Amino acid sequence: MSDNQGVSAFPHPPMQYANNYTDENIKRGKAPPPPPPIQDSYSMFGAQFSADEAIIRPLEASGCRRLYPHNYDHKRELKKLNHSILVNFLDLLDVLIRAPESPKRAEKLEDINLLFINMHHLINEFRPHQARETLRVMLEQQRTKRLEITQKFQEHYDKVLELIQTAVSSIPDEATAESDLLNESEILGPESLATTEPSDMDACDSLDTMMCKIVDDMT
């Protein structure tokens, strides 16, 4: 007992687990491996459970008496149990009014307790259906969200494509640009060349004049 005195019956807090799974520990292989899956039986909340048993255990497994047949309609049986609970509750009130110390009081309490256990078990049998419906609704929401995102992407794609097409259509063709340049040269004629040539000639004449002056000074 002294050796187990400082050992907790519950697992460590999550942060102590998270600190063991750092990037460095994972790279070096020092992170602890996950616990192996349970094969046989396990204890939870003080009760023994088997890994192969059904998700919803039958009433007989817990030692309770079944008040409805094996082949039944959930809706009908729940209505019957609800009606029986109301009737037994009224009987309990009558017993408490007429004879509070009567042994029928304990009997009615046991009957009401058994009825509630059966009703609770029938409701628990809807848990797998509830899980499936919850998963279905979650997937539907994800699908709707992805469709909305896809639609927005498509709208932006159409806008960008329209802008690109508008920009491309506004660019003149190569043949059109060349014809415009030819037309401009034809309109200007040789005078445009004449206007550009004298500037170049003037530059050459000024350089020649400077060179000649330098040669004259040297001689």
Side-chain angles (χ1 to χ4, degrees), residues 177-193:
E178 290 179 355
S179 62
D180 292 341
L181 291 175
L182 291 175
N183 292 332
E184 185 178 357
S185 62
E186 291 175 357
I187 293 172
L188 294 176
E191 296 178 357
S192 61
L193 298 175

Side-chain angles (χ1 to χ4, degrees), residues 34-214:
I38 299 174
Q39 301 292 338
D40 299 328
S41 61
Y42 60 95
S43 176
M44 184 173 61
F45 302 114
Q48 290 292 329
F49 296 92
S50 177
D52 298 332
E53 66 184 10
I55 299 176
I56 305 298
R57 302 175 65 186
L59 281 173
E60 292 79 7
S62 57
C64 295
R65 182 163 58 92
R66 182 191 293 266
L67 300 179
Y68 51 89
H70 291 279
N71 297 325
Y72 55 89
D73 181 16
H74 283 80
K75 185 177 180 179
R76 181 180 178 184
E77 296 299 328
L78 285 171
K79 285 183 177 181
K80 288 168 62 177
L81 289 172
N82 187 37
H83 181 73
S84 299
I85 289 172
L86 292 175
V87 172
N88 279 272
F89 181 73
L90 293 176
D91 292 341
L92 177 62
L93 291 178
D94 185 66
V95 170
L96 292 175
I97 293 171
R98 295 178 181 274
E101 302 297 333
S102 175
K104 291 184 179 181
R105 171 187 172 184
E107 294 178 2
K108 287 298 177 182
L109 288 174
E110 289 294 332
D111 293 341
I112 293 175
N113 186 32
L114 183 60
L115 288 169
F116 271 112
I117 290 175
N118 278 263
M119 178 179 283
H120 190 265
H121 186 267
L122 282 176
I123 294 173
N124 279 340
E125 289 184 350
F126 282 108
R127 293 296 184 184
H129 174 71
Q130 180 187 11
R132 289 192 297 268
E133 287 297 314
T134 303
L135 180 61
R136 184 186 65 81
V137 172
M138 183 178 66
L139 293 176
E140 286 290 338
Q141 292 177 352
Q142 292 180 0
R143 177 176 176 272
T144 303
K145 187 176 180 180
R146 290 175 180 175
L147 287 176
E148 292 176 357
I149 294 174
T150 305
Q151 185 177 0
K152 290 181 180 179
F153 275 131
Q154 185 66 34
E155 292 175 359
H156 287 295
Y157 171 77
D158 294 338
K159 291 180 180 179
V160 172
L161 186 62
E162 183 179 357
L163 290 174
I164 293 174
Q165 290 177 353
T166 304
V168 170
S169 61
S170 63
I171 299 175
D173 296 335
E174 185 177 357
T176 305
E178 290 179 355
S179 62
D180 292 341
L181 291 175
L182 291 175
N183 292 332
E184 185 178 357
S185 62
E186 291 175 357
I187 293 172
L188 294 176
E191 296 178 357
S192 61
L193 298 175
T195 55
T196 56
E197 288 177 356
S199 61
D200 297 336
M201 294 176 64
D202 292 341
C204 293
D205 293 340
S206 61
L207 291 174
D208 292 339
T209 304
M210 291 176 62
M211 292 297 296
C212 292
K213 185 177 181 180
I214 292 171

